[in-house]
Amino acid sequence: MLTSIAIAGLQTYGYHGLFEEERTLGQKFNFDISATLREVRTHLGDNLDCSVRYDAVIDEALQIAGSGRFQTLEALAEMIATGLLRRFAAIDGVTVAVAKFSPPIVHSIEQVRVEVRLQRADLAPDQGETAHASASPQYFGVRDQDTRRGSRCP
């Protein structure tokens, strides 16, 4: 059985963008995260080892987003996707969309948005060492039980 989780409309304030004003004044960002979990036979055992805690995924994404200042939304989305895959062993693939509502564009638009899709198999073993210089390296190490696959998961 394939299972996915979706977190839509996660909003936070951040300091990302190409221009210094964006990185100084900040602006509102919106995140949509969709994760495909590793295949299981059933969820009827009601076992959290077969899934991930949504609040932990949200906390991790927000910690990564606040760990540095990115010039591009693409780099921010990739950093979050990589961090989620490294933190949660139950996640096999993840899509992270990042939007900002006040881009410095002369035309009237509602928002700009990028989307990054990453599979666990796409991660290089040393990908964490080449991460964005302003991001915290803690997101690429092994942390707590979320990184271990439970033996009770069918």
Side-chain angles (χ1 to χ4, degrees), residues 14-20 22-23 27 29 31 64-65 68-80 96-100 104 112-116 132 134:
Y15 299 90
H16 313 293
L18 181 61
F19 299 104
E20 185 61 34
E22 294 179 285
R23 292 189 307 271
Q27 60 189 305
F29 290 85
F31 298 91
I64 294 169
R69 296 182 184 203
F70 297 88
Q71 289 187 44
T72 66
L73 296 179
E74 293 86 345
L76 173 58
E78 183 177 344
M79 183 65 73
I80 292 171
V96 176
V98 181
K100 62 181 174 179
V112 295
R113 181 177 191 256
V114 301
E115 187 173 287
V116 169
H132 190 278
S134 65

Side-chain angles (χ1 to χ4, degrees), residues 5 9 34 38 48 77 79 81 93 99 105 111 114 134 139:
I5 64 165
S34 176
R38 289 190 175 168
L48 187 56
M79 183 65 73
I105 297 174
Q111 66 175 310
V114 301
S134 65
Y139 299 111

Side-chain angles (χ1 to χ4, degrees), residues 1 12 15 24 29 31 50 56 73 87 131:
M1 169 186 314
T12 190
Y15 299 90
T24 302
F29 290 85
F31 298 91
C50 299
L73 296 179
R87 165 97 188 264

